[in-house]
């Protein structure tokens, strides 16, 4: 697990790519195809729900299908309630929700609610398998600020393949502050989800996971938004809010417009204190960003992924850092309805949600190497960390190798205190659950475990580059009551699966 080995892996990736013969756009190692932008962006439908005994209840069925990722090419895919991606779930802070998840695939899956604060038994990680034909019914109360969350499978060792085939969707949360904010909010009209993913298609138009290049996993030459390559969105308002989700398995994007800045208004866990003006936003796998873009009547512009500053990785072009390509076209109507500049007041809950460094009583360190965290690979029968409810903690997360990682923690939203001892840039100053780790840097993350003690079922923390995750770059965290006897180490109680779920 040395830096030299990591570099060798990256070099092997380059050699493989060169051998494969890459044309494509100048400066690009992965040849990203530039499609014509001729298809309207599909907006995932809002999921229907019914309120039963005060619980907002959704249904999702994971199923097979075929999708025209490229026009005229039928690609076998997977989705929820459809062939690709899934409906957008939406709920309010304070609501109780429940989801009936049915698995109509012929393989085991799970559904994880990424970014959600909820009990570990409802988290949908590797310990809540849903077998083929089974239905799983998690239920919990929404108790966190408005945010763009997402859901996706999390079966250990199979996450990359299932997400890659299309299993993912959005889970939007609203609260008083977000509803009172001056922000575009008409779903699909001026408030538009944009799930960005890259694919490798073989000669038959079928999805392949390409690991031959080694690091960082599959970098695809076909870039899709909401499951369509070369999409455009009609704009009818002066401002449009894009909820950007990096649903890719390995690629980190630098998203922006060549001809205008954007206002970053929210990151993974909700609204920033105030909008941040940026030319582009770097988004690693698992991260989200809400941006507001100003449009003029009649104009057309494109969201583009620029050459990404990956922060000193050994061989940036092998990591896709030299790739630049258009992602989504915006076409403004000749007349645009007015929309106000983004602005909002902090929510009335903000004080309770706030994290204070002075409250931290525990510091943990996590060293990420090539495929390990603190020298270990994932063992579903081992507890790695035990936290106590009511505790504020600092996690010192260090990327020790010259390759990128994307660090994600379940259950909580954290605050980035420092990057190598310096205050984080404004785009990392808000609520986060996933953070890109530049090589050789240390990120100090502040988080608090408020509730949901469970002596048996752990939460996960892991690299969200899905090949890394599947190959074991994940650990298990128990959150317990004070006085619990649960300790790190092998756990017989974890052996096998969490039998109480997914078989009903
Ligand atoms: Cu988005 Cu543990 O995952
Ligand atoms: Cu997660
Ligand atoms: Cu990683």
């Amino acid at each position: 697990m040395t830096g030299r080995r990591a570099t060798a892996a990256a070099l092997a990736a380059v050699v493989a790519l060169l051998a494969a013969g890459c044309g494509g756009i100048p400066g690009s190692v992965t040849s990203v195809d530039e499609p014509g932008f001729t298809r309207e962006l599909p907006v995932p439908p809002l999921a229907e729900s019914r309120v039963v005994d005060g619980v907002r209840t959704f249904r999702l069925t994971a199923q097979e299908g075929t999708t025209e990722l490229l026009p005229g090419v039928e690609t076998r895919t997977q989705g929820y309630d459809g062939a690709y991606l899934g409906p957008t779930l939406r709920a309010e802070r304070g609501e109780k929700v429940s989801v009936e998840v049915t698995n109509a695939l012929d393989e085991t899956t799970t559904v994880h609610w990424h970014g959600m604060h909820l009990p570990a038994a409802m988290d949908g990680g590797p310990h809540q398998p849903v077998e083929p034909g089974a239905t799983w019914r998690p239920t919990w109360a929404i108790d966190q600020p408005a945010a763009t969350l997402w859901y996706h499978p999390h079966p250990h060792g199979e996450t990359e393949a299932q997400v890659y085939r299309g299993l993912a969707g959005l889970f939007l949360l609203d609260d008083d502050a977000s509803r009172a904010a001056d922000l575009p909010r008409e779903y699909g009209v001026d408030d538009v989800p944009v799930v960005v993913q890259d694919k490798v298609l073989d000669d038959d138009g079928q999805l392949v996971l390409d690991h031959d290049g080694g690091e960082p996993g599959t970098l695809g030459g076909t870039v899709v938004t909401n499951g369509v390559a070369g999409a455009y969105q009609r704009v009818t308002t002066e401002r449009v809010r894009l909820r950007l989700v990096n649903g890719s398995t390995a690629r980190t994007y630098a998203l922006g417009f060549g001809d205008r800045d954007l206002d970053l208004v929210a990151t993974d866990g909700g609204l920033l204190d105030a909008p941040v003006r940026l030319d582009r936003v770097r988004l690693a796998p698992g991260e989200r960003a809400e941006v507001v873009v100003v449009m003029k009547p009649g104009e057309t512009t494109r969201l583009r992924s620029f050459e990404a500053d990956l922060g000193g990785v050994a061989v940036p072009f092998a990591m896709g850092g030299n790739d630049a390509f258009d992602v989504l076209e915006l076409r403004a109507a000749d007349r645009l309805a007015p929309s106000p500049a983004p602005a909002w007041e902090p929510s009335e809950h903000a004080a309770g949600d706030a994290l204070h460094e002075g409250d931290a009583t525990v510091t943990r360190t996590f060293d990420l190497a090539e495929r390990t965290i603190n020298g270990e690979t994932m063992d579903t029968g081992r507890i790695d960390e035990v936290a106590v409810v009511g505790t504020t903690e600092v996690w010192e997360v260090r990327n020790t190798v010259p390759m990128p990682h994307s660090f994600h923690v379940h259950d909580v939203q954290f605050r980035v205190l420092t990057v190598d001892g310096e205050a984080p840039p404004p785009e990392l100053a808000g609520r986060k659950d996933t953070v890109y780790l530049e090589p050789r840097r240390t990120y100090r993350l502040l988080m608090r475990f408020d509730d949901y003690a469970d002596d048996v079922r752990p939460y996960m923390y892991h690299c969200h580059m899905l090949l890394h995750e599947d190959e074991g770059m994940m650990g298990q965290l128990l959150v317990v009551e004070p006085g619990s006897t649960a300790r790190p180490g092998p756990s017989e109680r974890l052996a096998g699966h969490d039998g109480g779920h997914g078989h009903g």
Side-chain angles (χ1 to χ4, degrees):
M1 301 308 155
T2 62
R4 192 171 301 156
R5 227 181 106 187
T7 310
L11 283 169
V14 177
V15 171
L17 284 164
L18 293 177
C22 294
I25 50 183
S28 170
V29 167
T30 315
S31 63
V32 176
D33 299 323
E34 292 277 9
F37 283 73
T38 53
R39 292 196 289 169
E40 192 154 12
L41 181 73
V43 173
L46 286 173
E48 285 175 20
S49 61
R50 63 211 152 86
V51 178
V52 183
D53 298 333
V55 181
R56 182 171 298 286
T57 304
F58 300 93
R59 279 200 178 138
L60 287 177
T61 300
Q63 60 192 62
E64 312 274 346
T66 59
T67 306
E68 291 192 19
L69 300 170
L70 289 173
V73 179
E74 295 286 338
T75 301
R76 286 188 297 278
T77 54
Q78 295 176 341
Y80 298 101
D81 298 3
Y84 196 84
L85 298 180
T88 296
L89 279 55
R90 189 153 202 172
E92 292 265 333
R93 186 169 195 166
E95 274 192 303
K96 290 196 176 106
V97 298
S98 154
V99 191
E100 296 181 10
V101 177
T102 298
N103 181 4
L105 308 171
D106 56 13
E107 62 192 296
T108 301
T109 190
T110 82
V111 181
H112 165 59
W113 319 102
H114 179 129
M116 194 78 74
H117 175 52
L118 80 182
M122 309 299 165
D123 192 39
H127 296 284
Q128 288 87 42
V130 191
E131 306 298 340
T135 296
W136 176 56
R137 295 181 177 79
T139 181
W140 69 95
I142 304 294
D143 184 19
Q144 65 190 91
T148 301
L149 310 184
W150 65 305
Y151 60 90
H152 62 77
H154 217 301
H156 185 45
E158 301 298 327
T159 297
E160 181 193 29
Q162 292 190 5
V163 172
Y164 187 67
R165 290 185 210 119
L167 289 168
L170 279 94
F171 202 138
L172 306 184
L173 302 184
D174 302 300
D175 64 10
D176 292 343
S178 71
R179 255 180 295 99
D182 281 336
L183 285 173
R185 71 183 69 256
E186 200 177 335
Y187 183 80
V189 176
D190 62 3
D191 181 358
V192 183
V194 182
V195 180
V196 187
Q197 299 174 307
D198 58 334
K199 308 292 178 188
V200 178
L201 297 174
D202 67 15
D203 292 342
D204 295 325
Q206 303 310 311
L207 289 166
V208 281
L209 278 171
D210 175 12
H211 294 158
D212 294 348
E215 290 300 335
T218 301
L219 294 176
T222 299
V223 174
V224 297
T225 48
N226 300 350
V228 158
Y232 66 85
Q233 169 72 14
R234 287 186 203 284
V235 174
T236 54
T237 51
E238 288 171 350
R239 285 185 169 81
V240 61
R241 174 188 193 174
L242 303 177
R243 299 185 188 243
L244 305 171
V245 179
N246 185 346
S248 309
T249 59
R251 188 185 286 280
T252 294
Y253 300 88
L255 296 169
F257 296 83
D259 57 358
R260 72 202 64 201
D261 287 344
L262 43 82
D263 283 322
L264 178 71
V265 298
T267 51
D268 304 334
L271 292 170
L272 300 173
D273 287 342
V276 175
R277 182 68 47 95
L278 296 172
D279 58 349
R280 55 195 73 161
V281 46
R282 183 172 68 188
L283 222 53
E287 288 187 300
R288 286 88 66 212
E290 294 179 33
V291 302
V292 173
V293 187
V294 177
M295 297 289 290
K296 291 200 181 67
E299 71 171 348
T300 292
T301 187
R302 283 185 185 174
L303 179 70
R304 186 169 174 77
S305 185
F306 291 86
E307 299 191 6
D309 176 4
L310 297 176
V313 305
V315 191
F317 53 99
M319 305 293 162
N322 283 26
D323 299 345
F325 44 88
D326 292 342
V327 171
L328 173 70
E329 187 167 283
L330 298 182
R331 298 182 183 173
D334 290 336
R335 300 184 64 184
L336 299 178
S339 45
W344 56 89
E345 300 292 329
S347 86
E348 54 182 73
H349 289 99
D353 295 326
L355 293 161
H356 305 286
E357 188 176 3
D359 294 340
T361 53
V362 173
T363 300
R364 298 175 200 271
T365 57
F366 297 88
D367 279 358
L368 278 71
E370 199 176 338
R371 284 296 188 277
T372 59
I373 301 178
N374 290 338
E376 304 266 21
T377 53
M378 169 73 167
D379 178 346
T380 53
R382 183 190 68 232
I383 295 299
D384 297 284
E385 307 288 337
V386 178
V388 176
V389 286
T391 312
T392 302
E393 302 199 352
V394 174
W395 286 23
E396 285 188 4
V397 181
R398 194 155 61 106
N399 183 358
T400 66
V401 289
M403 66 172 75
H405 291 300
S406 181
F407 191 73
H408 170 50
V409 185
H410 288 208
D411 180 44
V412 291
Q413 294 289 333
F414 52 76
R415 184 153 73 81
V416 180
L417 289 172
T418 57
V419 179
D420 276 359
E422 306 282 332
E427 60 270 28
L428 290 185
R431 295 165 59 84
K432 295 283 292 168
D433 56 52
T434 307
V435 62
Y436 180 81
L437 302 180
E438 295 189 351
R440 311 285 191 204
R441 290 194 189 279
T442 300
Y443 294 72
R444 293 177 68 245
L445 313 178
L446 183 66
M447 64 194 80
R448 185 174 67 214
F449 299 98
D450 278 317
D451 41 24
Y452 302 140
D454 190 322
D455 268 4
V456 179
R457 297 178 189 87
Y459 296 104
M460 305 296 127
Y461 54 88
H462 58 90
C463 182
H464 218 289
M465 295 171 66
L466 299 180
L467 174 63
H468 294 184
E469 173 183 344
D470 280 348
E471 291 189 349
M473 210 163 181
M474 178 153 63
Q476 307 202 98
L477 163 78
L478 278 183
V479 176
V480 302
E481 294 289 358
S484 160
T485 55
R487 293 283 173 271
S491 170
E492 275 179 24
R493 289 182 296 185
L494 274 172
H497 285 311
D498 187 352
H501 295 275
H503 303 277

